[in-house]
Amino acid sequence: MAVGMTFVIINAEIDLSVGSIYGLGAICCGLLMSADVAWPIAALGGIAAGAAAGFLNGVMTVGFGIPSFIVTLGTLSVYRGVALLLSGGAPISLPSGDPNVAEFSLLGQGKLFGLVPMQLIIFALVAVVGMIVLSRSRYGFNTYAVGGSTEAARLCGINTGRVRITAFTISGTMAGLAGVLG
């Protein structure tokens, strides 16, 4: 979630709803797995739920001109409520004997060569990709420009709305990924 939040903060915004998006991603993944969906598809479902939530945050912030603090403070409760409605307020139990669940648990709880936690490896990969995007891509340069001065970035021809919405979408996607892995 920290890598995704970095994009939002560089844009001079804030996302308070990442904790609820984390829970929503985990619930969506768990519900899909309990419906006998293969774990890669279920994981993608949880990540997609996070991306959709982040996209909605960005659209409300940019489209309606509402400060991101207010939008994400509100969606924090909305996304938590959606997760509770989907799960019925009860934990989702998956049978550990199911091969689908056993393979999935290696992703969040397994260790590479019995030493390095898989979550650390996934975080390192995400952090490297985030670093490359921010330091070597046009989007990264536009992100820094928008965070420095939205008006100056707009006058330079940067679509500031798209950059800000994309940052919120990245943040939601990373929160969904963290929820799936957690």
Side-chain angles (χ1 to χ4, degrees):
M1 289 191 304
V3 174
M5 185 62 79
T6 300
F7 285 84
V8 173
I9 291 174
I10 289 173
N11 271 297
E13 301 285 353
I14 192 69
D15 188 351
L16 302 175
S17 65
V18 290
S20 295
I21 295 173
Y22 172 97
L24 181 62
I27 292 293
C28 288
C29 180
L31 286 174
L32 287 170
M33 288 190 66
S34 66
D36 291 328
V37 173
W39 73 264
I41 305 298
L44 287 175
I47 294 168
F55 178 76
L56 286 175
N57 285 342
V59 167
M60 286 189 281
T61 298
V62 173
F64 298 116
I66 304 170
S68 60
F69 183 86
I70 303 300
V71 168
T72 59
L73 185 62
T75 57
L76 178 149
S77 297
V78 170
Y79 298 148
R80 180 179 299 150
V82 169
L84 286 170
L85 281 173
L86 288 174
S87 69
I92 298 170
S93 298
L94 299 172
S96 60
D98 183 0
N100 193 34
V101 174
E103 289 175 17
F104 176 73
S105 68
L106 291 176
L107 190 64
Q109 299 171 2
K111 293 186 177 190
L112 184 65
F113 305 119
L115 299 171
V116 183
M118 290 300 291
Q119 289 183 346
L120 178 62
I121 292 168
I122 293 168
F123 168 73
L125 292 172
V126 168
V128 167
V129 169
M131 181 184 71
I132 291 169
V133 167
L134 284 172
S135 65
R136 303 277 184 228
S137 73
R138 177 175 293 216
Y139 175 75
F141 293 128
N142 291 347
T143 299
Y144 281 107
V146 170
S149 173
T150 304
E151 184 61 18
R154 186 187 65 76
L155 292 172
C156 288
I158 296 171
N159 186 339
T160 59
R162 185 180 327 148
V163 170
R164 291 168 59 206
I165 290 172
T166 304
F168 279 104
T169 305
I170 291 169
S171 178
T173 302
M174 293 299 102
L177 174 64
V180 167
L181 295 176

